[in-house]
Amino acid sequence: MFYAILAYHVEDAIEALTPQEDAALMAELLKINTRLHAEGTLGPSARLGTTRDACTLRGPGDGVIIDGPFAETKEQLLGLYVVDCDTRDDAIAIARDLRRVNPTAVYEIRPILLFKPGVPLAGK
């Protein structure tokens, strides 16, 4: 079964990292990504841009675009992983690995009911 692991964090804390601290954190997370890819359990993952650059479409009909930030909480969704695991406990174990290298993050694990991989995107 596919599970989404949603990475929540206090955005200001991440933005306060020096470029060297951010690069070190990303290098540690990449080690986990590399291992999961080799194991065949890692699907798409993404580091999202700032909530300042986000917008939300809500409302009936064509809806209304609302500029971000739009979160009601102190923590914002900053990234996600899609992993293919046999059990929920396997997905939790992966989230724990991620949290070991990024201990102030919060990871939400949620089953994915529909997964469509889309098309490979060219890096820019």
Side-chain angles (χ1 to χ4, degrees), residues 9-18 21-22 25 76 78 104:
H9 210 293
V10 177
E11 193 169 30
D12 290 342
I14 294 300
E15 289 181 346
L17 295 175
T18 66
E21 291 168 330
D22 187 63
L25 172 61
Q76 290 81 35
L78 299 185
T104 58

Side-chain angles (χ1 to χ4, degrees), residues 3 5-6 19 22 26 29-30 32-34 41 43 45-47 52-54 63 66 83 93 100 102-103 110 116:
Y3 290 87
I5 300 175
L6 308 176
D22 187 63
M26 294 308 294
L29 292 171
L30 184 58
I32 296 170
N33 286 20
T34 301
T41 58
S45 60
R47 186 178 194 186
R52 297 189 284 288
D53 297 329
I66 302 166
V83 295
R100 272 191 271 290
N102 194 7
R110 187 182 300 184
K116 293 187 176 188

Side-chain angles (χ1 to χ4, degrees), residues 11 48-57 65-70 77:
E11 193 169 30
L48 301 177
T50 65
T51 57
R52 297 189 284 288
D53 297 329
C55 63
T56 302
L57 173 64
I65 297 292
I66 302 166
D67 289 332
F70 49 87
L77 178 62

